[in-house]
Amino acid sequence: MPAVTETREQVEKLGQSSYKWGFETDIEMDFAPKGLNEDTIRLISARKEEPEWLLDWRLAAFRAWQTMTEPTWAKVTYPPIDYQDAHYYAAPKKKPGPKSLEEVDPELLRTYEKLGIPLHEQALLVGVEVPEGEEARLPVAVDAVFDSVSVATTFRKTLSEAGVIFCPISEAVRDHPDLVRKYLGSVVPAGDNFYAALNAAVFTDGSFVFVPKGVRCPMELSTYFRINARNTGQFERTLIIVEDGASVSYLEGCTAPMRDENQLHAAVVELVAMEDAAIKYSTVQNWYPGDENGLGGIYNFVTKRGACRGARAKISWTQVETGSAITWKYPSCILQGEGSVGEFYSVAVTNNHQQADTGTKMIHIGRNTRSTIIAKTISAGQSDSTYRGLVRMMPKASGARNFTQCDSLLIGDRCGAHTVPYIENRNMSARIEHEATTSKISEDQMFYCRQRGLSEEDAVGLIVNGFCKDVLRELPMEFAVEAQKLLQISLEGSVG
Amino acid sequence: MTVVTDIKRKQDLCRDVAETSGVKKMSELLKISGLHASIDADGTPKEILRGVDLVIPPGEVHAIMGPNGCGKSTLSYVLAGREEYEVTAGSVSFIGRDLLAMEPEERAAAGLFLAFQSPVELPGVNNANFLRTAVNAVRRARGETELDAVGFLKAVRAATKNLSMSDDMLKRNVNVGFSGGEKKRNEVLQMTMLQPKLAILDETDSGLDVDALRIVAEGVRNLRSPDFSALVITHHQRLLDYLGPDRIHVMAKGRIVRSGGPELAKQIDVEGYASFLAEAA
């Protein structure tokens, strides 16, 4: 592949000029120099040994991105991001991890404890390093988890027997190029928006799922995730394709806060549901929200969209968003197939100085399409939370229906909650309902609960979980319980 | 009043049992001395309690009566630990502890229960779940084992049956859409389940019809024992007829101005508060 060799040479030259320590191990080189340009993208593509079409696709996205400006319509404020001041391939030098749990911030460990995460998983989550040839003092079963190859193999076997493909997206590019080429960017085009274009240009990891005709995926893909993949990359790209009559339930994220060195995250998720197919996509997002003064924290700019291509297809998004300093996220459904169904269930919690602008878009194209939106927003501290949603009925969407309910709960008197619904109707037979409420946890409620023996935190937890009940019950069982605890923990210290 | 004599007999019986079994009898469960408290009224403190003195021995039912605005509800809130009232002088001991130094939930765990005049709605919070969380929080604080789902259900079913309530109320959200009577009955159910040492009933009888009143009164009577006392704030003779209080206290202008036996309530019923107000002035 002469093109690839050429790129390598070019990049090496580039690298040498900016990286004075030289390239003793240049073949294994694990990072690109700072900055974003076509060469960086060529390097990424070359490193991943991608086919020419994908490189071209990335480059087209990059060129589109260069002509775009960052969206400013969301109700979030943050200092300007210097996109040239970042590494786009592999990570900057990894800081050495703690040697044992004793070196880890006790605050973090308390959080884990409250979530009921076993010790060895805690160690993995905070990235404890075990010196070679040494036994860890605490039962840091990092190896046991990493070595859960046997479990992973069992899972893979179960999945492949059913004909389900579930692998990293780079592996899919190699092993199933036709599928990837057919669907990649078909729901979220490379030049869709500023962040999606950035993602298309530089994405390095993510997941690929393919469920063939008539197959019910034999396991919740969340189960797999719990044990294996921690692929929270900076620019993740996920593609899920479910054929006629097939179904899958996928859970991304983790209730436990993750250590992460990248501040900017711009992921893209594309879902394709064919006739009578069903996709349930659940997210529990708990990235570092910054400290109580609003310092640090992840910027999370995500584009998630699903297309119900066939008749009676169904896509259901459920999200519990408690983390990140800034969340910019609108999981959407394009309801093309006749009678297809889109659902969006969301709980967004902001505390301290967090900002969230999140919601959904339901685009009704086909006849008798239906969508349901239940969005619960909880603001505490000095945070600001916005629900922003679009319901659009296209001219052919006869008999389409939408029901939207947006509820906001305020804790304290320094936070904000905003609801911005956009409704566009171009079909007279379509029916759209919108309900919205705003409420506050009152001192009366707190006192009532405490008089009955509940601590302040238990009282807030109980009231908040009651408020979110309609959404939490949409989560897969095992995560619903954790999500409940997570809500309570996220709001600690928000009262009194 | 056969009801009253019944209770008297039961009480005497209890007392006998307590004495013969050699239990050391504490003479005061609750002791309020010189209690002053004020609330912030647009920036200036307004004194509402002006030197309340009151002693409630274990096993007794006391009633506080008094005209509107005399500080009855404030007293109940201060005892339960509501933060917007500031205690400016005086002391309160409860089971020998400094009540005023305790958080509201600690007071609850120590056995103080307040039945609210207007029970608060908790949208989305299942009534049974709330009750179980409360019962277990209190049991935990008291060093007792928590009730599991089955144990709790058994206990709560027994309690609702005793109070002739339907289980249906447990499935609804706390006080949401409850009628006035249902709310009060729910308070009594909570009281029954939390097994307090002292229950303060803040006009629990207000706005109740005769049947609901009887159910509430029965809820209190069911709890009567040497280990249970009640402080009943009321305007009405009828509730007192059901409960048979040991002592009646008349409150006016932020103080207890007169204490006496049940006959005092009857006097008020006939004469009103005028003479007591004159006393307080």
Short mmCIF file of all heavy atoms in Angstrom, two decimals, chain A residues 439 441-459 461-469 484 496, chain B residues 77 80-84 103-105 108 112-114 116 120-125 129-130 133-134 137-138 173 175 187 190 194:
data_model
loop_
_atom_site.label_atom_id
_atom_site.label_comp_id
_atom_site.label_asym_id
_atom_site.label_seq_id
_atom_site.Cartn_x
_atom_site.Cartn_y
_atom_site.Cartn_z
N SER A 439 -41.24 22.14 39.64
CA SER A 439 -41.52 22.10 41.07
C SER A 439 -40.22 22.20 41.84
O SER A 439 -39.13 22.18 41.28
CB SER A 439 -42.26 20.81 41.43
OG SER A 439 -41.55 19.69 40.94
N ILE A 441 -38.21 21.06 45.65
CA ILE A 441 -38.29 20.31 46.90
C ILE A 441 -38.47 21.35 47.99
O ILE A 441 -37.62 22.20 48.20
CB ILE A 441 -37.02 19.48 47.17
CG1 ILE A 441 -36.87 18.41 46.09
CG2 ILE A 441 -37.11 18.83 48.54
CD1 ILE A 441 -35.76 17.43 46.36
N SER A 442 -39.62 21.33 48.64
CA SER A 442 -39.91 22.40 49.59
C SER A 442 -39.36 22.07 50.97
O SER A 442 -39.08 20.92 51.29
CB SER A 442 -41.42 22.61 49.68
OG SER A 442 -42.02 21.48 50.29
N GLU A 443 -39.22 23.11 51.79
CA GLU A 443 -38.77 22.88 53.17
C GLU A 443 -39.79 22.04 53.91
O GLU A 443 -39.43 21.25 54.78
CB GLU A 443 -38.57 24.22 53.87
CG GLU A 443 -37.24 24.85 53.50
CD GLU A 443 -37.05 26.23 54.08
OE1 GLU A 443 -37.69 26.53 55.10
OE2 GLU A 443 -36.26 26.98 53.52
N ASP A 444 -41.07 22.22 53.58
CA ASP A 444 -42.11 21.41 54.21
C ASP A 444 -41.87 19.93 53.94
O ASP A 444 -41.98 19.10 54.83
CB ASP A 444 -43.49 21.79 53.65
CG ASP A 444 -44.01 23.08 54.25
OD1 ASP A 444 -43.50 23.48 55.31
OD2 ASP A 444 -44.92 23.69 53.66
N GLN A 445 -41.54 19.61 52.68
CA GLN A 445 -41.31 18.20 52.34
C GLN A 445 -40.10 17.65 53.09
O GLN A 445 -40.13 16.53 53.60
CB GLN A 445 -41.10 18.05 50.83
CG GLN A 445 -42.38 18.25 50.04
CD GLN A 445 -42.14 18.24 48.55
OE1 GLN A 445 -41.10 18.69 48.07
NE2 GLN A 445 -43.09 17.72 47.81
N MET A 446 -39.04 18.44 53.13
CA MET A 446 -37.84 17.99 53.82
C MET A 446 -38.12 17.75 55.31
O MET A 446 -37.73 16.74 55.88
CB MET A 446 -36.71 19.02 53.68
CG MET A 446 -36.11 19.10 52.30
SD MET A 446 -35.43 17.53 51.73
CE MET A 446 -34.11 17.30 52.90
N PHE A 447 -38.81 18.71 55.91
CA PHE A 447 -39.08 18.60 57.34
C PHE A 447 -39.98 17.41 57.63
O PHE A 447 -39.78 16.67 58.59
CB PHE A 447 -39.72 19.90 57.86
CG PHE A 447 -40.02 19.87 59.32
CD1 PHE A 447 -38.99 19.74 60.25
CD2 PHE A 447 -41.32 19.96 59.78
CE1 PHE A 447 -39.27 19.71 61.62
CE2 PHE A 447 -41.60 19.92 61.14
CZ PHE A 447 -40.58 19.80 62.05
N TYR A 448 -40.96 17.21 56.77
CA TYR A 448 -41.88 16.08 56.94
C TYR A 448 -41.11 14.76 56.93
O TYR A 448 -41.28 13.91 57.79
CB TYR A 448 -42.91 16.12 55.81
CG TYR A 448 -44.06 15.14 55.97
CD1 TYR A 448 -45.00 15.32 56.97
CD2 TYR A 448 -44.20 14.07 55.10
CE1 TYR A 448 -46.07 14.44 57.10
CE2 TYR A 448 -45.27 13.19 55.23
CZ TYR A 448 -46.20 13.38 56.23
OH TYR A 448 -47.25 12.51 56.36
N CYS A 449 -40.22 14.62 55.95
CA CYS A 449 -39.44 13.38 55.84
C CYS A 449 -38.52 13.21 57.06
O CYS A 449 -38.39 12.12 57.60
CB CYS A 449 -38.59 13.38 54.57
SG CYS A 449 -39.55 13.27 53.07
N ARG A 450 -37.86 14.30 57.44
CA ARG A 450 -36.93 14.19 58.56
C ARG A 450 -37.67 13.90 59.86
O ARG A 450 -37.19 13.17 60.71
CB ARG A 450 -36.11 15.48 58.68
CG ARG A 450 -35.18 15.69 57.50
CD ARG A 450 -34.42 16.97 57.61
NE ARG A 450 -33.36 16.88 58.62
CZ ARG A 450 -32.68 17.92 59.08
NH1 ARG A 450 -32.97 19.13 58.65
NH2 ARG A 450 -31.73 17.77 59.97
N GLN A 451 -38.87 14.45 60.00
CA GLN A 451 -39.64 14.17 61.22
C GLN A 451 -39.99 12.69 61.28
O GLN A 451 -40.22 12.14 62.33
CB GLN A 451 -40.91 15.02 61.24
CG GLN A 451 -41.40 15.37 62.66
CD GLN A 451 -41.65 14.17 63.54
OE1 GLN A 451 -42.43 13.29 63.20
NE2 GLN A 451 -40.98 14.12 64.69
N ARG A 452 -40.00 12.04 60.14
CA ARG A 452 -40.30 10.61 60.14
C ARG A 452 -39.03 9.77 60.26
O ARG A 452 -39.04 8.57 60.08
CB ARG A 452 -41.06 10.23 58.86
CG ARG A 452 -42.42 10.90 58.71
CD ARG A 452 -43.35 10.56 59.87
NE ARG A 452 -44.66 11.20 59.71
CZ ARG A 452 -45.10 12.20 60.47
NH1 ARG A 452 -44.35 12.67 61.46
NH2 ARG A 452 -46.30 12.71 60.29
N GLY A 453 -37.89 10.45 60.48
CA GLY A 453 -36.66 9.70 60.77
C GLY A 453 -35.68 9.63 59.61
O GLY A 453 -34.61 9.06 59.74
N LEU A 454 -36.04 10.19 58.45
CA LEU A 454 -35.13 10.11 57.30
C LEU A 454 -34.06 11.20 57.39
O LEU A 454 -34.34 12.32 57.78
CB LEU A 454 -35.92 10.31 56.00
CG LEU A 454 -36.56 9.09 55.37
CD1 LEU A 454 -37.63 8.51 56.27
CD2 LEU A 454 -37.18 9.46 54.04
N SER A 455 -32.84 10.85 57.00
CA SER A 455 -31.79 11.86 56.94
C SER A 455 -32.09 12.77 55.75
O SER A 455 -32.87 12.42 54.86
CB SER A 455 -30.43 11.20 56.75
OG SER A 455 -30.37 10.59 55.48
N GLU A 456 -31.44 13.94 55.72
CA GLU A 456 -31.67 14.86 54.62
C GLU A 456 -31.39 14.19 53.28
O GLU A 456 -32.12 14.34 52.31
CB GLU A 456 -30.77 16.08 54.75
CG GLU A 456 -31.26 17.09 55.74
CD GLU A 456 -30.38 18.33 55.77
OE1 GLU A 456 -29.26 18.25 56.29
OE2 GLU A 456 -30.82 19.35 55.25
N GLU A 457 -30.27 13.44 53.25
CA GLU A 457 -29.90 12.82 51.98
C GLU A 457 -30.89 11.74 51.55
O GLU A 457 -31.23 11.63 50.37
CB GLU A 457 -28.48 12.27 52.05
CG GLU A 457 -27.50 13.31 51.56
CD GLU A 457 -26.15 13.25 52.23
OE1 GLU A 457 -25.76 12.17 52.70
OE2 GLU A 457 -25.49 14.30 52.27
N ASP A 458 -31.35 10.96 52.52
CA ASP A 458 -32.36 9.94 52.19
C ASP A 458 -33.63 10.61 51.69
O ASP A 458 -34.29 10.11 50.77
CB ASP A 458 -32.69 9.09 53.42
CG ASP A 458 -31.60 8.09 53.73
OD1 ASP A 458 -30.73 7.88 52.84
OD2 ASP A 458 -31.59 7.53 54.84
N ALA A 459 -33.96 11.73 52.31
CA ALA A 459 -35.20 12.42 51.92
C ALA A 459 -35.10 12.92 50.48
O ALA A 459 -36.01 12.71 49.67
CB ALA A 459 -35.47 13.58 52.87
N GLY A 461 -33.11 11.79 48.19
CA GLY A 461 -33.07 10.60 47.34
C GLY A 461 -34.46 10.07 47.05
O GLY A 461 -34.81 9.76 45.91
N LEU A 462 -35.26 9.99 48.09
CA LEU A 462 -36.61 9.45 47.96
C LEU A 462 -37.46 10.33 47.05
O LEU A 462 -38.16 9.85 46.15
CB LEU A 462 -37.23 9.39 49.36
CG LEU A 462 -38.34 8.38 49.58
CD1 LEU A 462 -37.83 6.97 49.41
CD2 LEU A 462 -38.91 8.56 50.99
N ILE A 463 -37.38 11.63 47.27
CA ILE A 463 -38.20 12.55 46.49
C ILE A 463 -37.74 12.58 45.02
O ILE A 463 -38.55 12.53 44.10
CB ILE A 463 -38.15 13.98 47.09
CG1 ILE A 463 -38.84 13.97 48.46
CG2 ILE A 463 -38.83 14.99 46.18
CD1 ILE A 463 -38.63 15.22 49.30
N VAL A 464 -36.42 12.59 44.83
CA VAL A 464 -35.88 12.62 43.47
C VAL A 464 -36.20 11.33 42.72
O VAL A 464 -36.60 11.34 41.56
CB VAL A 464 -34.37 12.89 43.50
CG1 VAL A 464 -33.73 12.56 42.17
CG2 VAL A 464 -34.11 14.34 43.87
N ASN A 465 -36.06 10.21 43.41
CA ASN A 465 -36.36 8.94 42.74
C ASN A 465 -37.84 8.83 42.42
O ASN A 465 -38.20 8.27 41.39
CB ASN A 465 -35.88 7.76 43.59
CG ASN A 465 -34.41 7.50 43.38
OD1 ASN A 465 -33.94 7.36 42.26
ND2 ASN A 465 -33.65 7.47 44.45
N GLY A 466 -38.66 9.39 43.28
CA GLY A 466 -40.09 9.41 42.99
C GLY A 466 -40.36 10.24 41.74
O GLY A 466 -41.14 9.86 40.88
N PHE A 467 -39.66 11.33 41.65
CA PHE A 467 -39.79 12.24 40.51
C PHE A 467 -39.37 11.57 39.20
O PHE A 467 -39.93 11.81 38.15
CB PHE A 467 -38.93 13.48 40.81
CG PHE A 467 -38.87 14.51 39.73
CD1 PHE A 467 -39.94 15.35 39.49
CD2 PHE A 467 -37.73 14.64 38.96
CE1 PHE A 467 -39.87 16.31 38.50
CE2 PHE A 467 -37.65 15.61 37.97
CZ PHE A 467 -38.73 16.43 37.73
N CYS A 468 -38.36 10.71 39.29
CA CYS A 468 -37.79 10.09 38.08
C CYS A 468 -38.34 8.70 37.78
O CYS A 468 -37.89 8.05 36.83
CB CYS A 468 -36.28 9.94 38.23
SG CYS A 468 -35.45 11.47 38.53
N LYS A 469 -39.27 8.24 38.59
CA LYS A 469 -39.73 6.87 38.51
C LYS A 469 -40.07 6.42 37.09
O LYS A 469 -39.67 5.34 36.66
CB LYS A 469 -40.95 6.74 39.42
CG LYS A 469 -41.31 5.35 39.81
CD LYS A 469 -42.20 5.35 41.05
CE LYS A 469 -43.45 6.19 40.85
NZ LYS A 469 -44.30 6.21 42.05
N GLN A 484 -30.58 4.59 40.73
CA GLN A 484 -31.26 5.23 41.86
C GLN A 484 -30.26 5.74 42.87
O GLN A 484 -30.34 6.87 43.35
CB GLN A 484 -32.16 4.21 42.56
CG GLN A 484 -33.51 4.10 41.94
CD GLN A 484 -34.44 3.26 42.79
OE1 GLN A 484 -34.28 3.13 43.99
NE2 GLN A 484 -35.42 2.66 42.15
N GLY A 496 -29.59 21.91 52.62
CA GLY A 496 -29.10 22.28 53.96
C GLY A 496 -27.99 23.30 53.92
O GLY A 496 -27.60 23.77 52.90
N TYR B 77 -43.92 22.51 66.46
CA TYR B 77 -42.83 22.59 65.48
C TYR B 77 -41.48 22.72 66.17
O TYR B 77 -40.50 22.11 65.75
CB TYR B 77 -43.04 23.80 64.55
CG TYR B 77 -44.01 23.54 63.42
CD1 TYR B 77 -44.87 24.53 62.98
CD2 TYR B 77 -44.02 22.31 62.78
CE1 TYR B 77 -45.75 24.30 61.92
CE2 TYR B 77 -44.90 22.07 61.73
CZ TYR B 77 -45.77 23.07 61.31
OH TYR B 77 -46.62 22.82 60.27
N ALA B 80 -40.41 19.44 67.42
CA ALA B 80 -40.01 18.51 66.36
C ALA B 80 -38.74 18.97 65.65
O ALA B 80 -38.15 18.23 64.89
CB ALA B 80 -41.14 18.33 65.36
N GLY B 81 -38.34 20.24 65.88
CA GLY B 81 -37.05 20.69 65.34
C GLY B 81 -37.11 21.45 64.04
O GLY B 81 -36.15 21.44 63.26
N ARG B 82 -38.21 22.12 63.78
CA ARG B 82 -38.30 22.89 62.55
C ARG B 82 -37.35 24.09 62.62
O ARG B 82 -37.31 24.81 63.62
CB ARG B 82 -39.74 23.38 62.37
CG ARG B 82 -39.92 24.11 61.09
CD ARG B 82 -41.02 23.59 60.25
NE ARG B 82 -40.81 24.10 58.93
CZ ARG B 82 -41.58 23.86 57.88
NH1 ARG B 82 -42.60 23.07 58.02
NH2 ARG B 82 -41.30 24.36 56.71
N GLU B 83 -36.58 24.27 61.53
CA GLU B 83 -35.44 25.19 61.60
C GLU B 83 -35.80 26.67 61.61
O GLU B 83 -35.04 27.48 62.13
CB GLU B 83 -34.46 24.90 60.46
CG GLU B 83 -33.46 23.83 60.86
CD GLU B 83 -32.88 23.09 59.67
OE1 GLU B 83 -33.08 23.56 58.52
OE2 GLU B 83 -32.26 22.03 59.88
N GLU B 84 -36.95 27.04 61.01
CA GLU B 84 -37.18 28.49 60.97
C GLU B 84 -37.56 29.11 62.31
O GLU B 84 -37.64 30.32 62.40
CB GLU B 84 -38.19 28.86 59.87
CG GLU B 84 -39.54 28.24 60.00
CD GLU B 84 -39.83 27.35 58.80
OE1 GLU B 84 -39.05 26.42 58.56
OE2 GLU B 84 -40.85 27.58 58.13
N GLU B 103 -31.00 16.85 65.87
CA GLU B 103 -31.57 17.07 64.54
C GLU B 103 -32.99 16.50 64.51
O GLU B 103 -33.30 15.59 65.29
CB GLU B 103 -30.73 16.35 63.47
CG GLU B 103 -29.33 16.90 63.30
CD GLU B 103 -29.32 18.27 62.66
OE1 GLU B 103 -30.22 18.57 61.85
OE2 GLU B 103 -28.41 19.07 63.00
N PRO B 104 -33.83 16.99 63.60
CA PRO B 104 -35.20 16.46 63.53
C PRO B 104 -35.24 14.93 63.44
O PRO B 104 -36.05 14.28 64.13
CB PRO B 104 -35.76 17.09 62.26
CG PRO B 104 -34.99 18.35 62.09
CD PRO B 104 -33.62 18.07 62.63
N GLU B 105 -34.35 14.35 62.60
CA GLU B 105 -34.41 12.89 62.44
C GLU B 105 -33.93 12.16 63.69
O GLU B 105 -34.36 11.05 63.98
CB GLU B 105 -33.63 12.44 61.19
CG GLU B 105 -32.17 12.83 61.13
CD GLU B 105 -31.94 14.15 60.41
OE1 GLU B 105 -32.81 15.06 60.55
OE2 GLU B 105 -30.91 14.30 59.73
N ALA B 108 -36.86 12.06 65.95
CA ALA B 108 -37.78 11.01 65.50
C ALA B 108 -37.29 9.65 65.98
O ALA B 108 -38.07 8.84 66.50
CB ALA B 108 -37.90 11.02 63.98
N LEU B 112 -39.89 10.75 69.17
CA LEU B 112 -40.82 11.87 69.11
C LEU B 112 -41.52 11.88 67.75
O LEU B 112 -40.86 11.84 66.72
CB LEU B 112 -40.08 13.19 69.35
CG LEU B 112 -40.97 14.42 69.48
CD1 LEU B 112 -40.43 15.32 70.59
CD2 LEU B 112 -41.02 15.20 68.18
N PHE B 113 -42.83 11.89 67.77
CA PHE B 113 -43.59 11.87 66.52
C PHE B 113 -44.53 13.05 66.48
O PHE B 113 -45.21 13.34 67.46
CB PHE B 113 -44.39 10.57 66.42
CG PHE B 113 -45.20 10.46 65.16
CD1 PHE B 113 -44.66 9.87 64.03
CD2 PHE B 113 -46.50 10.97 65.10
CE1 PHE B 113 -45.41 9.79 62.86
CE2 PHE B 113 -47.24 10.89 63.93
CZ PHE B 113 -46.69 10.29 62.81
N LEU B 114 -44.55 13.73 65.34
CA LEU B 114 -45.48 14.84 65.16
C LEU B 114 -46.48 14.49 64.06
O LEU B 114 -46.09 14.27 62.92
CB LEU B 114 -44.71 16.12 64.79
CG LEU B 114 -45.55 17.32 64.34
CD1 LEU B 114 -46.46 17.82 65.47
CD2 LEU B 114 -44.66 18.47 63.86
N PHE B 116 -48.90 15.92 61.65
CA PHE B 116 -49.00 17.28 61.10
C PHE B 116 -50.44 17.74 60.96
O PHE B 116 -51.33 16.95 60.63
CB PHE B 116 -48.31 17.34 59.73
CG PHE B 116 -46.82 17.38 59.79
CD1 PHE B 116 -46.11 16.34 60.37
CD2 PHE B 116 -46.11 18.45 59.27
CE1 PHE B 116 -44.72 16.36 60.43
CE2 PHE B 116 -44.72 18.49 59.31
CZ PHE B 116 -44.03 17.45 59.90
N VAL B 120 -47.89 16.69 54.44
CA VAL B 120 -47.26 17.19 53.23
C VAL B 120 -47.33 16.15 52.11
O VAL B 120 -47.17 14.96 52.35
CB VAL B 120 -45.78 17.55 53.53
CG1 VAL B 120 -45.09 18.06 52.29
CG2 VAL B 120 -45.72 18.58 54.65
N GLU B 121 -47.55 16.61 50.89
CA GLU B 121 -47.60 15.69 49.74
C GLU B 121 -46.21 15.42 49.19
O GLU B 121 -45.41 16.34 49.08
CB GLU B 121 -48.47 16.29 48.63
CG GLU B 121 -49.92 16.50 49.06
CD GLU B 121 -50.80 16.99 47.94
OE1 GLU B 121 -50.30 17.12 46.79
OE2 GLU B 121 -51.99 17.23 48.19
N LEU B 122 -45.94 14.17 48.85
CA LEU B 122 -44.67 13.82 48.23
C LEU B 122 -44.95 13.15 46.89
O LEU B 122 -45.08 11.93 46.81
CB LEU B 122 -43.86 12.87 49.13
CG LEU B 122 -43.50 13.37 50.53
CD1 LEU B 122 -42.82 12.26 51.33
CD2 LEU B 122 -42.60 14.58 50.46
N PRO B 123 -45.06 13.91 45.80
CA PRO B 123 -45.43 13.34 44.51
C PRO B 123 -44.42 12.28 44.05
O PRO B 123 -43.21 12.48 44.21
CB PRO B 123 -45.39 14.55 43.57
CG PRO B 123 -45.50 15.75 44.44
CD PRO B 123 -44.86 15.37 45.74
N GLY B 124 -44.93 11.20 43.54
CA GLY B 124 -44.05 10.15 43.00
C GLY B 124 -43.49 9.20 44.04
O GLY B 124 -42.90 8.19 43.70
N VAL B 125 -43.66 9.54 45.32
CA VAL B 125 -43.11 8.67 46.36
C VAL B 125 -44.21 7.75 46.88
O VAL B 125 -45.20 8.20 47.45
CB VAL B 125 -42.53 9.50 47.53
CG1 VAL B 125 -41.96 8.59 48.59
CG2 VAL B 125 -41.48 10.47 47.02
N ASN B 129 -43.52 2.56 50.37
CA ASN B 129 -42.06 2.69 50.31
C ASN B 129 -41.57 3.76 51.29
O ASN B 129 -40.58 3.58 52.00
CB ASN B 129 -41.66 3.05 48.88
CG ASN B 129 -40.18 3.07 48.67
OD1 ASN B 129 -39.44 2.39 49.39
ND2 ASN B 129 -39.71 3.87 47.73
N PHE B 130 -42.31 4.84 51.35
CA PHE B 130 -41.97 5.92 52.29
C PHE B 130 -42.03 5.40 53.73
O PHE B 130 -41.10 5.60 54.52
CB PHE B 130 -42.95 7.08 52.11
CG PHE B 130 -42.76 8.20 53.09
CD1 PHE B 130 -41.65 9.02 53.01
CD2 PHE B 130 -43.68 8.42 54.10
CE1 PHE B 130 -41.46 10.07 53.91
CE2 PHE B 130 -43.50 9.46 55.01
CZ PHE B 130 -42.40 10.27 54.92
N THR B 133 -39.19 3.03 54.44
CA THR B 133 -37.92 3.74 54.58
C THR B 133 -37.85 4.41 55.95
O THR B 133 -36.83 4.37 56.63
CB THR B 133 -37.77 4.80 53.47
OG1 THR B 133 -38.05 4.18 52.22
CG2 THR B 133 -36.38 5.38 53.44
N ALA B 134 -38.97 5.03 56.35
CA ALA B 134 -39.01 5.71 57.64
C ALA B 134 -38.85 4.71 58.79
O ALA B 134 -38.03 4.91 59.69
CB ALA B 134 -40.31 6.48 57.77
N ALA B 137 -35.33 3.48 58.92
CA ALA B 137 -34.38 4.51 59.35
C ALA B 137 -34.42 4.62 60.87
O ALA B 137 -33.39 4.68 61.54
CB ALA B 137 -34.72 5.85 58.71
N VAL B 138 -35.62 4.61 61.39
CA VAL B 138 -35.79 4.73 62.83
C VAL B 138 -35.30 3.47 63.55
O VAL B 138 -34.61 3.55 64.57
CB VAL B 138 -37.28 5.03 63.15
CG1 VAL B 138 -37.60 4.76 64.59
CG2 VAL B 138 -37.61 6.47 62.79
N ASN B 173 -49.33 7.61 46.14
CA ASN B 173 -48.20 8.44 46.52
C ASN B 173 -48.52 9.19 47.81
O ASN B 173 -49.67 9.52 48.06
CB ASN B 173 -47.85 9.41 45.40
CG ASN B 173 -47.32 8.68 44.19
OD1 ASN B 173 -46.76 7.58 44.32
ND2 ASN B 173 -47.49 9.26 43.01
N ASN B 175 -49.74 11.09 50.48
CA ASN B 175 -50.70 12.19 50.67
C ASN B 175 -51.20 12.85 49.38
O ASN B 175 -52.00 13.78 49.45
CB ASN B 175 -50.12 13.27 51.59
CG ASN B 175 -49.93 12.77 53.01
OD1 ASN B 175 -50.72 11.96 53.48
ND2 ASN B 175 -48.89 13.22 53.68
N GLU B 187 -51.44 9.76 58.81
CA GLU B 187 -50.58 10.18 59.91
C GLU B 187 -50.64 9.18 61.05
O GLU B 187 -49.62 8.82 61.63
CB GLU B 187 -50.99 11.57 60.42
CG GLU B 187 -50.83 12.71 59.42
CD GLU B 187 -49.37 13.05 59.15
OE1 GLU B 187 -48.70 13.63 60.02
OE2 GLU B 187 -48.91 12.70 58.05
N GLN B 190 -48.73 6.11 60.21
CA GLN B 190 -47.28 6.32 60.40
C GLN B 190 -46.93 6.27 61.88
O GLN B 190 -45.94 5.66 62.28
CB GLN B 190 -46.87 7.67 59.81
CG GLN B 190 -46.96 7.71 58.29
CD GLN B 190 -46.67 9.10 57.74
OE1 GLN B 190 -46.33 10.01 58.46
NE2 GLN B 190 -46.80 9.24 56.44
N LEU B 194 -44.30 3.69 63.59
CA LEU B 194 -43.02 4.20 64.09
C LEU B 194 -42.87 4.03 65.59
O LEU B 194 -41.80 4.28 66.14
CB LEU B 194 -42.85 5.68 63.70
CG LEU B 194 -42.61 5.91 62.21
CD1 LEU B 194 -42.69 7.39 61.87
CD2 LEU B 194 -41.26 5.36 61.78
#
